[in-house]
Amino acid sequence: MRRFALTLVPQRAGPALWQSARATRVRGRRLLVQETWYRHLAIADRLIVEARRRLADQKTHIADLEERGEDTRAATALLSLLEETLRLMQSHRVTILQKLAGLTQPEPRPGAPADGF
């Protein structure tokens, strides 16, 4: 079981210490969210690799069916679905990368103008 230490900052410590404690909590949550997105990225990458392998297998299967003179309509329809699924997976991966890019931007300093100057 994990135990988390709770750090209490006395109110009389002043606003700078309160802001520092809050910033530490925010960074901790931000890192947790970032780790979660990296796990999602790893899963997406693995699924994309598997989808590409299945696409190659399906194309081989269709070629075998054609070689034997068998009907390829169902296999071709499945190939189309696999290709669309791969496109959706790749789109989802781009979304994950965009989320990660937003999380890796430097945090604005408290009291700093929005434009960074």
Side-chain angles (χ1 to χ4, degrees):
M1 176 188 292
R2 280 187 167 172
R3 293 187 181 197
F4 296 96
L6 180 62
T7 305
L8 297 176
V9 179
Q11 191 166 5
R12 67 180 179 275
L17 196 51
W18 275 98
Q19 288 174 349
S20 174
R22 182 183 179 283
T24 300
R25 285 192 312 272
V26 168
R27 274 192 298 278
R29 280 191 298 253
R30 188 181 187 113
L31 287 174
L32 184 61
V33 169
Q34 193 173 12
E35 284 177 22
T36 301
W37 282 114
Y38 275 115
R39 281 196 305 271
H40 283 276
L41 181 62
I43 292 167
D45 286 342
R46 180 178 49 82
L47 291 174
I48 287 171
V49 168
E50 289 176 17
R52 286 181 178 152
R53 183 187 50 78
R54 288 191 174 133
L55 269 171
D57 291 347
Q58 188 65 14
K59 287 177 182 178
T60 301
H61 179 64
I62 290 171
D64 291 344
L65 289 173
E66 287 174 342
E67 194 174 290
R68 292 190 310 256
E70 296 182 29
D71 186 16
T72 60
R73 287 180 291 190
T76 304
L78 179 58
L79 178 64
S80 295
L81 289 174
L82 291 171
E83 289 170 338
E84 178 62 21
T85 301
L86 177 59
R87 280 190 292 274
L88 291 171
M89 288 178 181
Q90 291 168 331
S91 174
H92 181 63
R93 184 180 188 279
V94 168
T95 301
I96 293 170
L97 290 171
Q98 290 169 344
K99 295 285 186 181
L100 280 168
L103 288 172
T104 57
Q105 299 297 321
E107 293 181 34
R109 292 183 321 227
D115 61 2
F117 295 100

